[in-house]
């Protein structure tokens, strides 16, 4: 803590790595409000990140503004008092339950909620309303891992720790773009490999991702073929004599049935299924067989599948067969997407489980929870999982829904059907941080929730580590924590005593007590040793569970299953036979390509926070479709043109990114864009609602689609000092810039008057001077408008995608007293030789662009370290290092030979 600021230890709210953050808050006037920007840095003492943060975490301080916040309750669009809004929610839920039964209402919550929020919502729905219709957006992320763990281990247990990834001699990454989706964990892996170059990394992914750039072996698996790959591996391990006979005999069951299925496919069959060569397969299988310390990391590429649970079990089978589990540097390891996906699993946020890893279909567990809660009406059967839940809303079976901290209109498959379902639902409550999302538009009641920086509680990361999130800002407006909102509704529904929580510490203490109730080592999740008073809760340092009463106290046991005892009735792990099966839908003549979706480095979910920071938006500023050059030729697609993608469900527009990183026959589109930032960029509108039969997780990585050029008559690029009121174009993508906005445009027909079009876009303020250039023959138009010596807006249009120095133009929004020469340069769209365009942003932390890296490479910087020393790129969070390496590889052919050190 400094003299002018106070430092608060908290946790990053983005991914499942769960990095510790120190927020340095300038001291204010005593009101609790800081007097300046909050600085954010990595917590050197947090065992997840040891001080590192990625680009998203580093930019957290830039996401705290209130301009987009929901600050007061709204009922039917008008401001209302909390009392009125809460009364209405309680009345409508109670009346719906009274008339139609408990299963006529539902909660849809989020991995963004803290454990305490989740606990209260889950208690209300499952113990008091008496339905299990509460599901979470974590269903979209890792439900197949949960189901796979439960089938194999009898419990949803992640056996290992992050240290295991560093200690492994072989790290297999399956369906995991760790470099972009879990960047700090990836940096830990790279540091381990740098210290022990003999460590091997194998990346299995249909796409050559940024993670693949660091791999010793890259296996470009055919989409959906993971089961075939790991069944083949299991058969190979048996043939190679790698069965850990004692472990398999003493601690497992079902091996023969799993082997019988795995051995039905020959190596040649597996090669056909996976699209890999027999030589590639043999090399991977031999490496796996020969290496004792193996960790297999998997995430959404495995989970988001109509056979996701089988994929998880096919991986676990190989670890059980070799006994490589529960020991340092060994084991299957699922990494979660969201900051508290694990906490949500633990607390029973999924529709098919109870709190504290107890099971809805287990009468003993139901009794434990019911008597602990003194619950009047326990749910006794599983509720509806996310996709089915919104289908039930659409069919009118669910008549009142409460959506908390998530945006299903953009994130669920068949997203236009979700929109229609909410539009028809009699009563929709949305509690959120943000006023305008594509989902809040459908709310009858909007409840303002506390955001990161304002809320207190706990989260659990991918290695079972519970960390505190601490408030360092006062609650703005009338915003309230989610746990408080749920508890207030519960009290109004008649359950005052059961929801008489005064603080998150009270909730956590109750939850910790429940985890130990009737446990005695029978269940994996036991944190009864964390029944803390408020002071101890406030001081709590990151700790891994299990932490039973009388356990080792401050430090939990690091790994599960070291003793070979699992949580099945016979305490044996179960092999699961995993037959090879195709994805739920197949490509064909009408929809010939496989659509795959996923994250990009600098965005989070539906961009409600990350789009607030210009430097994160500067990395990739519009929705894109990655397609192989051969497919681009087949479908007549030019690089950087606008393409239309369609599936059986819906359509979207995106910029074509033609690249050999993409495999033939597939197209990748990021998951992030919504109607708030693009005209037609909601990729989930295309995704079919196929789900895994066991886990209910939707297949977000395999949707048959068509692609074609969108016949645009003109393209445009604009920089704007103010957000435009309307964007009259068939395609647009808007992104914040440091002092304004950047806008990509395209349309079929030109406007009647280009000057009027530009003026309307720029805001047409009195006193605005506008320069114009037009070449009617070539179809090029340029406009630059100035007000009070500053740039108000510039627009560049052409019949083809516009070539302009985009980042240089964006920077001009900050210039004052722009000279006549400067104005002409802006109108030309380029700074000239003395003001080079940095190019598309690669390093968000230091704003270093691709052109600068190219120039440094030409100047002799041939390594990532040399680029860092010259430009600082990659020297802060490190998230861009794999991209810098890929650029250096690309530039290598065109560069002169490297001079010798002595020259
Ligand atoms: Fe946050 Fe990045 Fe750490 Fe994930 S890796 S928790 S996004 S800082």
């Amino acid at each position: 803590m400094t003299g002018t600021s106070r430092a608060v230890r908290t946790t990053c709210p983005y991914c499942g790595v769960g990095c510790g953050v120190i927020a340095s808050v300038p001291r204010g006037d005593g009101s609790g409000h800081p007097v300046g920007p909050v600085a954010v840095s990595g917590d050197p003492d947090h065992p997840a990140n040891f001080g590192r943060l990625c680009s998203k975490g580093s930019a957290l301080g830039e996401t705290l503004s209130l301009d987009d916040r929901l600050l007061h309750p709204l009922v039917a669009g008008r401001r209302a008092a909390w009392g009125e809004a809460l009364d209405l929610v309680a009345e409508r839920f109670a009346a719906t339950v009274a008339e139609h039964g408990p299963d006529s209402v539902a909660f849809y919550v989020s991995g963004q909620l803290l454990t305490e929020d989740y606990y209260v919502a889950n208690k209300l729905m499952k113990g008091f309303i008496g339905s299990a219709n509460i599901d979470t957006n974590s269903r979209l992320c890792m439900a197949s891992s949960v189901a796979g763990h439960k089938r194999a281990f009898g419990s949803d247990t992640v056996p290992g720790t992050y240290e295991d990834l560093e200690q492994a001699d072989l790290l297999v990454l399956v369906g995991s773009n760790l470099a972009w989706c879990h960047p700090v964990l990836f940096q830990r892996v790279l540091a381990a490999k740098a210290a022990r170059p003999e460590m091997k990394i194998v990346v299995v992914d249909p796409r050559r991702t940024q993670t693949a750039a660091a791999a010793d072996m890259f296996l470009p698996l055919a989409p959906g073929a993971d089961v075939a790959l790991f069944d083949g591996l299991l058969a190979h391990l048996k043939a190679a004599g790698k069965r850990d006979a004692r472990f398999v005999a003493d601690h497992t069951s079902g091996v023969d049935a799993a082997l019988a299925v795995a051995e039905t496919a020959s190596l040649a069959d597996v090669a056909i299924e996976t699209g890999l060569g027999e030589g590639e397969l043999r090399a991977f299988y031999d490496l796996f067989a020969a290496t004792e310390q193996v960790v297999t990391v998997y995430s959404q590429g495995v989970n988001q599948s109509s056979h996701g649970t089988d994929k998880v079990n096919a991986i676990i089978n190989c670890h059980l067969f070799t006994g490589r589990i529960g020991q340092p540097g060994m084991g299957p390891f699922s990494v979660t997407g969201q900051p508290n996906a694990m906490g949500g699993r633990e607390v029973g946020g999924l529709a098919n489980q109870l709190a504290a890893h107890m099971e809805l279909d287990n009468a003993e567990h139901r009794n434990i929870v019911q008597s602990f809660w003194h619950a009047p009406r326990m749910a006794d059967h599983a509720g509806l999982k996310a996709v089915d839940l919104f289908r039930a809303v659409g069919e009118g079976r669910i008549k009142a829904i409460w959506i908390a901290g998530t945006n299903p209109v953009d994130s669920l498959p068949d997203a236009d059907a979700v929109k229609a379902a909410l539009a028809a639902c009699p009563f929709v409550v949305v509690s959120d941080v943000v006023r305008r999302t594509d989902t809040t538009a459908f709310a009858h009641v909007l409840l303002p929730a506390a955001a990161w920086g304002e809320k207190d509680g706990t989260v659990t990361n991918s290695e079972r580590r519970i960390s505190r999130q601490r408030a360092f800002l006062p609650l703005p407006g009338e915003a309230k924590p989610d746990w408080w909102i749920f508890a207030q509704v519960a009290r109004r529904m008649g359950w005052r005593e059961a929801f008489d929580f005064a603080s998150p510490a009270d909730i956590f203490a109750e939850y910790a007590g429940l985890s130990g109730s009737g446990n005695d080592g029978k269940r994996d999740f036991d944190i009864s040793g964390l029944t803390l008073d408020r002071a101890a809760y406030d001081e709590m340092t990151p700790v891994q569970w299990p932490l039973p009463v009388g356990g080792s106290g401050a430090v939990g046991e690091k790994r599960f299953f070291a003793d070979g005892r699992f949580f099945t009735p016979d305490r044996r792990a179960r092999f699961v036979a995993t037959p090879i099966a195709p994805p739920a839908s197949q490509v064909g003549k009408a929809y010939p390509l496989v659509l795959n979706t996923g994250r990009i480095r600098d965005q989070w979910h539906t961009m409600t926070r990350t789009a607030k920071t210009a430097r994160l938006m500067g990395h990739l500023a519009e929705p894109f479709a990655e397609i192989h050059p051969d497919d681009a030729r087949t479908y007549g697609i030019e690089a950087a043109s606008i393409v239309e993608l369609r599936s059986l469900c819906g359509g979207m527009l995106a910029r074509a990114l033609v690249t050999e990183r993409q495999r033939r026959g597939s197209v990748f589109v990021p998951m992030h864009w919504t109607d708030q930032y693009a005209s037609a960029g909601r990729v989930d509108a295309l995704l079919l609602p196929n789900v895994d039969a066991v886990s209910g997780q939707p297949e977000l990585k395999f949707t048959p689609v068509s692609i074609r050029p969108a016949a645009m008559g003109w393209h445009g690029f604009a920089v704007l000092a103010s957000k435009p009121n309307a964007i009259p174009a068939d395609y647009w993508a808007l992104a914040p810039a440091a002092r304004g906005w950047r806008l990509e445009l395209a349309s079929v027909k030109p406007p009647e008057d280009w000057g009027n079009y530009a003026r309307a876009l720029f805001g047409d303020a009195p006193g605005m001077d506008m320069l114009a250039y037009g070449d009617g023959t070539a179809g090029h138009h340029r406009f630059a408008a100035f007000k009070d010596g500053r740039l108000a807006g510039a627009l560049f249009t052409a019949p083809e995608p516009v070539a302009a120095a985009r980042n240089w133009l964006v920077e001009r929004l900050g210039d004052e007293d722009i000279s006549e020469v400067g104005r002409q340069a802006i109108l030309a769209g380029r700074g000239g030789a003395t003001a080079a365009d940095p190019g598309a942003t690669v390093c968000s932390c230091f704003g270093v662009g691709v052109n600068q890296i190219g120039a440094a490479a030409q100047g002799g910087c041939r390594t990532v370290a040399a680029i860092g020393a010259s430009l600082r790129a990659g020297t802060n969070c490190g998230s861009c290092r794999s991209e810098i390496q890929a650029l250096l590889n690309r530039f290598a052919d065109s560069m002169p030979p490297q001079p010798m050190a002595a020259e």
Side-chain angles (χ1 to χ4, degrees):
M1 190 181 297
T2 71
T4 54
S5 67
R6 66 192 162 89
V8 178
R9 284 196 145 83
T10 183
T11 313
C12 175
Y14 292 126
C15 84
V17 179
C19 295
V21 165
I22 296 179
S24 299
V25 189
R27 289 186 188 282
D29 53 6
S31 66
H33 293 274
V35 289
V38 174
V40 163
S41 57
D43 181 349
D45 296 328
H46 196 289
N49 57 318
F50 299 106
R52 297 178 180 95
L53 290 179
C54 75
S55 50
K56 293 187 287 291
S58 304
L60 273 166
E62 297 158 32
T63 66
L64 303 173
S65 66
L66 300 179
D67 46 335
D68 60 338
R69 289 289 298 275
L70 173 65
L71 295 174
H72 308 281
L74 298 174
V75 172
R78 67 169 167 79
R79 186 167 166 178
W82 264 112
E84 180 194 347
L86 293 168
D87 284 346
L88 179 63
V89 175
E91 277 165 26
R92 289 295 298 265
F93 269 75
T96 308
V97 169
E99 190 176 346
H100 302 285
D103 286 342
S104 65
V105 300
F107 296 164
Y108 185 62
V109 297
S110 165
Q112 298 289 312
L113 296 186
L114 305 186
T115 297
E116 292 75 2
D117 305 323
Y118 255 128
Y119 180 83
V120 177
N122 188 54
K123 181 177 178 180
L124 171 58
M125 182 55 86
K126 292 195 180 129
F128 291 75
I129 290 176
S131 169
N133 279 347
I134 170 169
D135 212 35
T136 159
N137 61 6
S138 299
R139 177 75 59 195
L140 315 177
C141 159
M142 49 73 220
S144 296
S145 283
V146 174
H149 288 158
K150 281 165 48 170
R151 289 203 306 192
F153 308 144
S155 58
D156 175 22
T157 314
V158 175
T161 71
Y162 293 161
E163 276 175 19
D164 291 325
L165 276 65
E166 296 168 318
Q167 293 171 352
D169 291 327
L170 170 61
L171 185 66
V172 184
L173 295 160
V174 192
S176 166
N177 186 4
L178 208 69
W180 273 17
C181 302
H182 300 90
V184 165
L185 189 53
F186 187 64
Q187 292 304 322
R188 284 182 61 168
V189 167
L190 290 188
K193 186 166 168 58
R196 279 191 308 122
E198 66 275 16
M199 173 187 181
K200 293 279 182 287
I201 299 176
V202 174
V203 172
V204 181
D205 202 302
R207 213 163 46 108
R208 188 176 280 277
T209 62
Q210 290 67 23
T211 307
D216 297 285
M217 185 187 291
F218 170 57
L219 299 178
L221 187 77
D226 311 63
V227 167
L229 180 71
F230 284 92
D231 275 5
L233 175 59
L234 184 63
H236 179 89
L237 290 169
K238 183 191 166 196
K242 288 295 172 182
R243 182 196 303 240
D244 182 334
R246 195 163 156 201
F247 182 86
V248 171
D250 292 351
H251 300 298
T252 71
S253 63
V255 67
D256 292 339
L259 280 170
V261 166
E263 288 177 317
T264 53
S266 67
L267 188 68
D269 295 333
V270 174
I272 291 167
E273 290 287 339
T274 58
L276 300 170
E278 290 185 32
E280 281 177 299
L281 286 169
R282 232 180 263 115
F284 169 53
Y285 290 173
D286 286 343
L287 183 61
F288 195 107
T291 313
E292 190 61 16
Q293 288 191 285
V294 182
V295 171
T296 307
V297 170
Y298 51 94
S299 65
Q300 276 78 339
V302 166
N303 294 332
Q304 291 174 336
S305 159
S306 53
H307 303 289
T309 309
D310 275 359
K311 291 179 180 181
V312 169
N313 285 113
I315 291 169
I316 293 174
N317 284 346
C318 296
H319 281 270
L320 292 176
F321 191 77
T322 49
R324 294 171 186 165
I325 189 164
Q327 307 291 338
M330 301 181 196
F333 197 101
S334 136
V335 279
T336 52
Q338 294 202 73
N340 200 28
M342 286 282 273
R345 282 148 80 159
E346 291 154 16
V347 82
L350 293 163
N352 51 329
Q353 63 188 43
L354 281 175
H357 276 195
M358 284 183 265
E359 300 299 329
L360 259 168
D361 56 5
N362 180 321
E364 183 191 339
H365 288 179
R366 286 200 306 275
N367 285 338
I368 290 171
V369 177
Q370 181 159 23
S371 53
F372 190 89
W373 281 345
H374 304 292
R377 184 156 57 176
M378 276 303 292
D380 60 3
H381 58 273
L384 294 168
K385 298 173 183 138
V387 171
D388 289 340
L389 189 150
F390 280 89
R391 188 175 291 131
V393 174
E395 292 170 358
R397 287 181 282 130
I398 286 179
K399 299 167 194 311
I401 185 167
W402 184 344
I403 298 165
T406 183
N407 196 359
V409 165
D410 295 315
S411 53
L412 277 170
D414 199 5
D416 287 344
V418 173
K419 237 185 200 185
L422 289 178
C425 186
F427 191 57
V428 179
V429 180
V430 178
S431 42
D432 209 318
V433 162
V434 179
R435 169 68 187 87
R436 276 175 227 294
T437 71
D438 294 347
T439 298
T440 59
F442 296 95
H444 299 102
V445 179
L446 265 174
L447 303 174
W452 183 77
E454 299 152 11
K455 52 202 281 179
D456 249 321
T458 55
V459 290
T460 309
N461 73 2
S462 297
E463 60 165 357
R464 290 177 279 106
R465 191 178 297 283
I466 301 172
S467 298
R468 288 277 278 110
Q469 259 193 30
R470 293 185 175 89
F472 56 85
L473 294 171
L475 287 165
E478 296 179 29
K480 295 285 186 187
D482 289 282
W483 67 263
W484 182 92
I485 305 173
F486 279 111
Q488 286 296 318
V489 169
R491 290 158 64 109
R492 283 166 164 78
M493 291 179 80
W495 303 301
R496 175 167 290 276
E497 205 179 319
F499 291 88
D500 191 22
F501 299 115
S503 73
D506 295 353
I507 301 166
F508 190 82
E510 180 178 308
Y511 173 47
L514 174 60
S515 74
S517 182
N519 194 329
D520 299 324
K522 285 185 277 187
R523 306 192 303 268
D524 64 336
F525 185 76
D526 189 342
I527 57 166
S528 51
L530 282 176
T531 310
L532 310 172
D533 62 23
R534 279 194 205 176
Y537 178 79
D538 283 344
E539 293 301 317
M540 185 175 151
T541 52
V543 62
Q544 275 176 297
W545 62 263
L547 277 160
V549 168
S552 46
V555 181
E557 289 171 39
K558 274 191 169 178
R559 295 178 185 84
F560 274 92
F561 311 140
D563 60 357
R565 285 171 64 75
F566 297 83
F567 293 95
T568 52
D570 61 4
R571 305 306 297 250
R572 288 169 175 267
R574 291 183 290 235
F575 283 87
V576 178
T578 52
I580 297 168
S585 298
Q586 293 301 307
V587 295
K589 206 168 166 195
Y591 301 108
L593 296 173
V594 174
L595 170 63
N596 175 13
T597 64
R599 303 180 197 281
I600 58 174
R601 190 190 77 191
D602 286 358
Q603 291 303 327
W604 180 253
H605 280 198
T606 56
M607 299 165 69
T608 47
R609 275 176 303 196
T610 42
K612 291 175 81 166
T613 134
R615 66 180 163 127
L616 294 185
M617 284 304 281
H619 179 229
L620 290 163
E622 65 179 321
F624 61 87
E626 241 180 46
I627 185 168
H628 189 276
D630 290 352
D631 288 329
R633 260 189 299 280
T634 301
Y635 299 105
I637 289 162
E638 300 285 336
S641 65
I642 307 298
V643 293
E644 180 183 1
L645 294 132
R646 294 210 76 83
S647 76
L648 270 174
C649 279
M652 69 171 294
L653 298 172
R655 180 81 59 185
L657 180 57
V658 180
T659 168
E660 292 190 346
R661 283 195 304 268
Q662 184 54 275
R663 68 184 288 116
R664 289 179 190 83
S666 287
V667 56
F668 172 85
V669 176
M671 61 186 268
H672 307 290
W673 269 268
T674 70
D675 285 351
Q676 307 297 314
Y677 292 100
S679 56
R682 293 167 56 245
V683 69
D684 283 46
L686 279 72
L687 305 181
L688 304 181
N690 298 321
V691 299
D692 179 285
V694 182
S695 70
Q697 179 152 3
E699 185 153 59
L700 305 182
K701 302 285 190 193
F702 198 110
T703 299
V705 294
S706 64
I707 191 166
R708 68 181 182 95
M712 296 295 174
W714 62 273
H715 298 252
F717 172 71
V719 292
L720 307 164
S722 307
K723 189 175 182 182
N725 293 326
I727 306 171
D730 296 318
Y731 170 88
W732 58 262
L734 183 68
R739 288 182 183 76
W741 299 82
R742 57 192 294 165
L743 177 65
E744 301 286 347
L745 297 153
S747 246
V748 177
K749 290 189 185 153
E752 283 183 10
D753 184 312
W754 277 109
N756 287 345
Y757 186 88
R759 257 188 294 276
L761 213 52
F762 301 158
D764 203 9
M768 195 170 73
D769 302 331
M770 194 156 87
L771 303 179
Y773 165 86
D775 179 344
T777 317
H780 289 225
H781 302 273
R782 298 184 215 142
F783 301 90
F786 302 87
K787 184 154 187 324
D788 303 328
R790 306 181 70 126
L791 180 62
L795 171 67
F796 306 86
T797 73
E800 64 284 344
V802 168
R806 283 169 164 72
N807 281 5
W808 178 83
L809 284 162
V810 166
E811 286 172 10
R812 302 289 69 76
L813 287 168
D815 291 350
E816 294 177 12
D817 299 325
I818 299 173
S819 67
E820 190 51 38
V821 172
R823 291 176 181 220
Q824 292 300 334
I826 289 171
L827 186 65
R830 324 213 149 263
T834 55
D837 177 23
T841 302
V842 176
C843 171
S844 304
C845 295
F846 296 114
V848 180
V850 64
N851 294 347
Q852 292 167 291
I853 292 169
Q858 288 291 342
C861 297
R862 303 295 167 83
T863 64
V864 176
I867 293 287
S870 169
L871 299 172
R872 300 176 73 202
T875 59
N876 184 36
C877 73
S879 303
C880 61
R881 282 188 200 136
S882 54
E883 280 166 280
I884 296 172
Q885 184 61 60
L887 283 170
L888 290 175
N889 296 346
R890 206 173 87 200
F891 296 145
D893 291 342
S894 58
M895 287 191 291
Q898 174 80 22
M900 299 295 287
E903 286 178 332

